[in-house]
Amino acid sequence: MITREQIFRAVQTVAVPLLLAYVVRQLFPAGDQHEQTLPSLYQPLLADIDFVPRKLPVTYLAGVPELDAYERISTAENATGFPDTTAVILNWSRFPNVLLITSLLCGPWLDDTIAQVYIWNNHPRRITYEDMKNTGCPPSKLRIHNAPANLLFQARFLACAQADTPNCFIQDDDYLVRSEVIRALRARIEEPGASRAIHILPSHEHLSTILREIHVKSPAESHVSDIHTSFAWLGHGAMLRRSDAQQFLSLMRFLKVTDDELKMADNFFTILSNRVPEIWFDQGFELGGGQPFTIGPEGDERNQNYTLRATRYLDSLTHCGRALCDDPGADTQQARPSPPYVNLDRSDAPTRWTHAAGRGSSCVLETNIRLVPDAVSHIGTNVGQMLAVEGRNIEALGESGKRNYLEYSPSAAVDLKAETVFRSLTHAAKGDMLSLDILTDIGDVREWNTVEFVWLVDSKTEDTLNSCAFEWSSDNVTWHAAAHTPICYETAREATIEDEPVALKECSVQMVLGSSALHLRATGRHFRARLKEDKEDRWVVSEVWLRGL
């Protein structure tokens, strides 16, 4: 017979652990960090400014029910499934912006890309997680460093060098970068043979980088390397490898730069790499606010000063591998040093392709269409001529060329806005290509019955498209011809070119077909139009995209 004492002991055996577990949970909350994180108060604002992913239109035609079942194709998937990028934000005088940026970076749409958000606080006022709790970012994903002093731009490289991930996404606190663009940057930098860093830039900064590009042939075989370089900002958004941030800081120590030069690290990063930087036209959103560091004639003069200092260091590195080639303290009998980071390969050659990040869908528009005239030259006799080369090229470009570059850039063809256009500088020429890279093979995401390459263009570009070969490729090397030609329809949409309305047509080309019944799988990652003959008129492209069924 069971006694009351035995019953009491049995209850005690079960109840005491349960009670202790309850106390522990109250004192030391554990479990999923997401359950302990407050929802973001900034997501409604992000949605209002169209920074939250949404279903995208597949056509600009009205009343076409046949297209209702189609969808835009966007396939930028992280193949590993694990986030491998640390986002680095510098805070100085725009903390409200930092809250909005952090909310975007911690959104679920970047869970497979951003592993951690690293906020480097250069401001004297300390930041804690309590200040950030309404961003929706869990404590495990947020890292805050309150610097004892303002290290300016050096801080972003220190933060990246300390990251736990192989990649870093870097941006300033006055710019909002779309999640689909960040995913595209991450996808491209992970590819074999990819650039060491990719910068996204607004049109005016993109133009400056292009015009400053300079190539200097070594004057003698005794020199270590030729020079191929330019300058590009990082603050509008840049993806780079952690190892490159570490090597860059090592190079700055190798050169024994001054403290003020180290703080102005942005002015040295691309120039000292001795590589022409890969730059994309962006789809960013300027936030403003606070006190800009670089503004007005004083800021321009400071930037020019540090840019020229960087060119002097590069001149010495490519000459003798040291900071100073006539240093009396250097041991000339020792083997030539091998400085980190800087590329001393004489065969380095730039690409002539232009890139634009897509909005809405993670994709990259690529074209070889010239955006500047042939009179623009990048040849110099000394890298110190970089700013002079830029001035000379501005004159060669002319006011009309500059206006076309700034107002009708390739990014307008992938910005979801029918009223904006990409317009070529001159007439469409044989060999011109426009290609859309959707970053992953379409067949890796789902099965498609049909995939169409769609263009929103003016009537003259419709004629140009009819003289194009349409092709697709899975590897950007082997290309396959599409069997179909464009089918075009008038739309009610108009673009504005030089204050004049321009009617637009929607043209589509069936690129690939798939059928599970016939064991045909629709594949492809790169889709392009290649012009087969010269035309009299310019390219005018309002939008270009892929849709499938």
Side-chain angles (χ1 to χ4, degrees):
M1 182 176 177
I2 300 175
T3 66
R4 268 188 284 181
E5 183 178 358
Q6 289 173 317
I7 293 173
F8 176 78
R9 287 178 179 173
V11 171
Q12 187 181 47
T13 302
V14 174
V16 169
L18 289 175
L19 181 62
L20 287 174
Y22 174 80
V23 172
V24 169
R25 283 198 301 270
Q26 296 303 309
L27 294 177
F28 306 102
D32 189 349
Q33 287 281 11
H34 290 278
E35 296 178 1
Q36 309 298 326
T37 304
L38 295 174
S40 170
L41 297 182
Y42 299 91
Q43 282 199 19
L45 175 57
L46 291 170
D48 285 345
I49 58 177
D50 199 28
F51 269 74
V52 172
R54 60 180 173 87
K55 184 176 176 63
L56 302 174
V58 298
T59 182
Y60 288 89
L61 298 170
V64 186
E66 295 87 351
L67 295 175
D68 289 347
Y70 280 71
E71 63 180 83
R72 283 240 191 177
I73 297 178
S74 178
T75 61
E77 301 290 334
N78 183 344
T80 67
F82 298 102
D84 55 9
T85 301
T86 296
V88 177
I89 312 170
L90 298 187
N91 174 66
W92 172 245
S93 63
R94 307 181 182 96
F95 186 64
N97 291 358
V98 173
L99 295 173
L100 183 64
I101 294 167
T102 302
S103 186
L104 174 70
L105 293 170
C106 288
W109 40 79
L110 285 172
D111 278 349
D112 69 344
T113 302
I114 301 297
Q116 188 172 69
V117 177
Y118 193 150
I119 298 174
W120 186 291
N121 180 28
N122 275 326
H123 196 274
R125 180 189 174 278
R126 292 178 60 82
I127 298 174
T128 67
Y129 182 76
E130 185 67 18
D131 300 309
M132 309 294 299
K133 65 181 182 181
N134 291 318
T135 62
C137 201
S140 61
K141 197 170 185 175
L142 192 63
R143 181 176 179 181
I144 301 171
H145 176 76
N146 291 292
N150 185 3
L151 297 182
L152 296 178
F153 305 115
Q154 173 193 1
R156 63 168 113 249
F157 299 100
L158 291 172
C160 180
Q162 298 169 14
D164 297 325
T165 59
N167 302 318
C168 298
F169 172 71
I170 285 174
Q171 68 164 96
D172 282 342
D173 58 3
D174 59 347
Y175 220 62
L176 200 58
V177 182
R178 297 182 178 279
S179 59
E180 59 268 28
V181 174
I182 297 173
R183 292 166 64 86
L185 289 167
R186 184 258 163 212
R188 287 292 284 261
I189 205 165
E190 279 294 299
E191 294 181 348
S195 298
R196 309 296 289 270
I198 305 173
H199 307 247
I200 53 174
L201 297 170
S203 296
H204 67 286
E205 295 293 0
H206 192 285
L207 177 60
S208 179
T209 297
I210 292 295
L211 298 183
R212 288 187 181 189
E213 181 183 326
I214 187 168
H215 303 271
V216 180
K217 184 72 176 174
S218 297
E221 283 297 320
S222 60
H223 284 227
V224 178
S225 174
D226 297 338
I227 291 174
H228 312 278
T229 195
S230 187
F231 167 75
W233 289 113
L234 293 94
H236 299 286
M239 188 73 71
L240 62 146
R241 295 184 177 90
R242 176 187 57 194
S243 58
D244 279 282
Q246 294 167 340
Q247 290 183 28
F248 170 64
L249 292 173
S250 296
L251 175 63
M252 298 293 271
R253 290 191 292 269
F254 173 85
L255 295 173
K256 298 178 181 176
V257 301
T258 63
D259 286 343
D260 63 314
E261 289 173 337
L262 199 53
K263 288 182 177 180
M264 298 296 292
D266 278 16
N267 293 84
F268 296 80
F269 180 71
T270 55
I271 292 175
L272 291 183
S273 72
N274 198 29
R275 300 176 182 89
V276 177
E278 180 171 338
I279 57 175
W280 297 0
F281 284 97
D282 74 347
Q283 296 286 352
F285 187 91
E286 190 169 351
L287 295 173
Q291 179 59 45
F293 179 72
T294 299
I295 189 171
E298 181 182 352
D300 292 339
E301 183 179 351
R302 179 177 58 243
N303 283 327
Q304 290 177 7
N305 174 31
Y306 286 101
T307 296
L308 291 176
R309 290 196 200 187
T311 64
R312 288 193 285 271
Y313 281 122
L314 181 61
D315 188 52
S316 294
L317 286 168
T318 56
H319 180 186
C320 63
R322 294 188 293 270
L324 291 172
C325 293
D326 55 357
D327 183 0
D331 187 351
T332 57
Q333 300 303 313
Q334 287 187 345
R336 180 173 284 164
S338 299
Y341 183 66
V342 60
N343 176 35
L344 299 178
D345 182 357
R346 289 176 181 267
S347 63
D348 185 71
T351 177
R352 285 297 160 218
W353 283 80
T354 300
H355 307 81
R359 176 181 174 185
S361 302
S362 289
C363 63
V364 183
L365 179 70
E366 301 175 303
T367 181
N368 65 348
I369 296 172
R370 293 274 302 191
L371 304 184
V372 295
D374 292 338
V376 168
S377 172
H378 302 291
I379 304 301
T381 56
N382 185 287
V383 68
Q385 298 172 336
M386 176 181 287
L387 299 180
V389 166
E390 180 184 23
R392 184 182 69 207
N393 285 335
I394 288 175
E395 291 185 9
L397 180 62
E399 280 302 316
S400 62
K402 179 180 178 181
R403 185 170 62 252
N404 194 77
Y405 200 104
L406 299 182
E407 297 180 9
Y408 307 108
S409 69
S411 55
V414 282
D415 65 356
L416 299 180
K417 299 177 182 177
E419 63 271 19
T420 64
V421 301
F422 161 55
R423 185 178 69 174
S424 58
L425 179 65
T426 60
H427 68 88
K430 181 180 179 179
D432 282 354
M433 286 181 275
L434 284 96
S435 176
L436 198 62
D437 176 9
I438 57 170
L439 305 169
T440 310
D441 195 288
I442 58 174
D444 292 343
V445 177
R446 54 160 283 189
E447 291 186 0
W448 301 92
N449 294 323
T450 182
V451 172
E452 297 179 1
F453 200 9
V454 196
W455 300 66
L456 194 63
V457 298
D458 70 346
S459 59
K460 294 177 179 177
T461 303
E462 176 192 2
D463 178 64
T464 300
L465 291 178
N466 284 316
S467 298
C468 286
F470 290 87
E471 300 162 322
W472 62 271
S473 173
S474 293
D475 57 9
N476 208 24
V477 176
T478 302
W479 290 87
H480 309 273
H484 300 270
T485 56
I487 300 174
C488 300
Y489 299 94
E490 293 183 356
T491 74
R493 307 303 294 268
E494 291 182 340
T496 302
I497 302 177
E498 296 182 355
D499 299 325
E500 293 293 329
V502 176
L504 297 173
K505 291 188 171 186
E506 183 172 301
C507 300
S508 60
V509 182
Q510 191 176 77
M511 299 296 291
V512 291
L513 292 172
S515 170
S516 56
L518 298 176
H519 303 288
L520 293 176
R521 181 169 171 266
T523 61
R525 167 178 164 174
H526 306 268
F527 298 82
R528 76 182 183 189
R530 176 174 52 84
L531 186 56
K532 296 183 289 185
E533 60 184 49
D534 289 342
K535 307 297 287 187
E536 294 182 355
D537 299 299
R538 302 187 191 191
W539 287 95
V540 174
V541 181
S542 170
E543 286 296 307
V544 59
W545 70 98
L546 288 177
R547 67 186 177 210
L549 177 66

